Amino acid sequence: MKREHKEMMKARARNIALRVAYDGTAYAGFQRQTPPVIAVQNVLEEKLARIFGDSIELAASGRTDAGVHAYGQVVNFFTDGTIPVSRIARAANSLLPPDIVVKEAWEADRAFSARHSARSKTYLYRIAQGETPDPMLARYAWYIRRPLDCAAMRAALARILGTHDFSAFRAAGGAPMSPVRTMYEATLEEERPGLLACRIHGSGFLYHMVRNLMGTIANVGLGVLQPADIDRILASRDRAQASATAPAHGLYLLHVAYGEEAPAHPQKNIEKTVDR
């Protein structure tokens, strides 16, 4: 029955894709939940159904957790609705709450899937530093009071580049899939005094992988671990060897690439506007 339903949805005339940004603070992640629990998908599907005049079922590039944000979440859905693609973003944003925004809409090839067609993803993780926390960053960056050794953190990040088995950074409960992933770039920059930004661009990511990596990289910065410990942790394939999971609110899904060359720092200027 479920397969028949999916085929019925795919028989609709159009395959619409959207690039969506959201502040995940108020939501139980992206994936649809049973009310009264509300996820980003619940809200998007409800508003899009009003615009297109039929039921909407979104497929997404990834399922961000509760509190995780996005600059570049990609979704697609099949519809018989006739609204021109040039009007979709404006129509959607007139109905959506201010913490969810449709940035772009396009008519996709029928074979396009936001999830299965993705070639790579880039995540951003922010860490706030200083003697006292910045209240404007409380929902958007992990505050660590003690000074971090950024050089050591960069050396540690360099060790995750290439193709590895990332089982040691994989949380239990995710979908069964190969733990082997390729990391193309992992950088750490100071966006401004007191605010660090780590970007990780890879072929794909496991459940909680970025947050588990960041918890471990932060411990390198604090001197609890050394950069060379990353090699040992990777080789162990044991989650218990890595550090605790970093908080969700510092994480952003930055960019999803679909065949096009993924820039090293997509939306670099836009993403720096974290003050609300």
Side-chain angles (χ1 to χ4, degrees):
M1 183 67 69
K2 188 174 181 180
R3 183 175 180 179
E4 291 178 358
H5 177 72
K6 286 184 176 180
E7 293 302 318
M8 180 185 70
M9 297 297 286
K10 287 184 178 181
R12 292 176 170 182
R14 306 168 73 192
N15 186 12
I16 301 297
L18 309 175
R19 196 176 303 275
V20 183
Y22 51 84
D23 176 340
T25 304
Y27 301 100
F30 180 84
Q31 187 179 13
R32 185 192 306 115
Q33 301 291 325
T34 302
V37 180
I38 301 297
V40 175
Q41 186 174 359
N42 293 84
V43 179
L44 272 171
E45 289 180 340
E46 177 194 350
K47 305 307 182 187
L48 291 170
R50 291 173 57 182
I51 294 168
F52 285 89
D54 55 21
S55 60
I56 299 295
E57 292 188 10
L58 298 177
S61 64
R63 302 171 177 178
T64 55
D65 294 328
V68 174
H69 316 293
Y71 287 107
Q73 173 72 281
V74 178
V75 302
N76 78 289
F77 58 95
F78 291 88
T79 179
D80 287 324
T82 59
I83 180 173
V85 70
S86 60
R87 292 174 50 197
I88 291 173
R90 178 173 292 185
N93 293 333
S94 71
L95 298 176
L96 287 166
D99 52 6
I100 303 175
V101 174
V102 174
K103 305 290 288 185
E104 181 184 5
W106 67 96
E107 194 111 20
D109 183 272
R110 295 199 65 79
F112 175 81
S113 165
R115 178 184 176 189
H116 298 293
S117 301
R119 300 292 184 86
S120 69
K121 295 180 182 178
T122 303
Y123 281 91
L124 169 72
Y125 197 93
R126 287 190 170 103
I127 298 175
Q129 289 265 268
E131 282 295 318
T132 58
D134 182 343
M136 301 305 173
L137 294 175
R139 298 186 297 180
Y140 308 110
W142 179 17
Y143 172 64
I144 300 177
R145 181 178 178 277
R146 290 171 55 193
L148 294 169
D149 183 340
C150 291
M153 294 170 72
R154 292 186 182 103
L157 286 166
R159 293 174 179 268
I160 71 169
L161 296 177
T163 302
H164 304 280
D165 182 323
F166 283 93
S167 295
F169 297 99
R170 177 183 196 164
M177 60 181 65
S178 169
V180 178
R181 294 290 185 270
T182 300
M183 297 298 110
Y184 305 120
E185 185 175 17
T187 64
L188 182 70
E189 299 177 353
E190 187 174 44
E191 286 193 357
R192 65 172 190 246
L195 184 62
L196 302 176
C198 178
R199 289 178 181 80
I200 302 178
H201 173 208
S203 62
F205 295 86
L206 305 170
Y207 186 48
H208 285 182
M209 178 175 154
V210 178
R211 291 170 59 196
N212 293 337
L213 277 167
M214 290 310 305
T216 305
I217 297 299
N219 268 342
V220 172
L222 291 169
V224 176
L225 297 170
Q226 298 302 309
D229 286 322
I230 299 297
D231 298 340
R232 171 183 58 80
I233 294 168
L234 283 168
S236 76
R237 302 180 183 178
D238 178 7
R239 175 67 187 94
Q241 298 302 307
S243 301
T245 307
H249 64 271
L251 182 62
Y252 303 72
L253 174 56
L254 184 59
H255 182 75
V256 184
Y258 292 93
E260 80 275 19
E261 183 180 357
H265 303 295
Q267 303 179 28
K268 189 170 182 179
N269 294 325
I270 296 173
E271 89 221 0
K272 288 188 177 182
T273 57
V274 295
D275 292 327
R276 308 291 168 126

